[in-house]
Amino acid sequence: MVETVIRVEGMSCGGCVRSVTAALKSLPGVTDADVSLESAQARVQYDPATVSEQQLREAVEDAGFDAPA
Amino acid sequence: MVETVIRVEGMSCGGCVRSVTAALKSLPGVTDADVSLESAQARVQYDPATVSEQQLREAVEDAGFDAPA
């Protein structure tokens, strides 16, 4: 299991935070996601054998937010 | 193609609206989704041979919002 921090742009309320959290936690291989509105970041614990950091970013983008590399 | 209106609870800003819109439009069979923060509703055009209204609601729930039947 590894941990990474992804920048998440476009969140402006608690609903956004819930949405990004749900998008990340729905991915196979993600065991935890802690999303912060204040820091515009998601701290994600995941199994790199199952899911890549790029796929984490894509899930955030698919949820309607920006996740620049 | 049919159109339905789904109640969406928990949205509180434009980021939420973008997120629900993205979740709905990502579904195969959905051709358009017009999500309103003010009315807490999503107006969705979809092909009922490809996707069901229940699946539309599940996509909204998976995105972190409530979509009561």
Side-chain angles (χ1 to χ4, degrees):
Chain A
M1 207 62 55
V2 298
E3 183 174 281
T4 189
V5 175
I6 294 174
R7 177 151 186 87
V8 180
E9 297 177 351
M11 298 188 294
S12 47
C13 73
C16 296
V17 170
R18 278 195 303 280
S19 182
V20 172
T21 304
L24 288 167
K25 287 192 172 174
S26 74
L27 292 174
V30 170
T31 53
D32 198 23
D34 181 22
V35 180
S36 165
L37 179 62
E38 290 70 23
S39 63
Q41 288 179 336
R43 183 177 300 273
V44 187
Q45 275 148 33
Y46 66 103
D47 176 3
T50 306
V51 66
S52 68
E53 189 168 324
Q54 178 59 25
Q55 286 172 309
L56 301 179
R57 276 201 211 88
E58 285 170 5
V60 171
E61 300 264 357
D62 289 347
F65 302 90
D66 290 323
Chain B
M1 208 61 56
V2 300
E3 183 174 281
T4 189
V5 175
I6 294 174
R7 177 151 188 87
V8 180
E9 298 176 350
M11 298 188 295
S12 47
C13 73
C16 296
V17 170
R18 278 195 304 279
S19 182
V20 172
T21 304
L24 288 167
K25 287 190 172 176
S26 74
L27 292 174
V30 170
T31 52
D32 198 23
D34 181 22
V35 180
S36 166
L37 180 63
E38 290 70 23
S39 63
Q41 287 179 338
R43 183 177 300 273
V44 187
Q45 275 149 33
Y46 66 103
D47 176 2
T50 305
V51 66
S52 68
E53 189 169 325
Q54 179 59 26
Q55 288 173 307
L56 301 179
R57 278 202 210 88
E58 286 169 5
V60 171
E61 301 264 358
D62 289 347
F65 302 91
D66 290 323

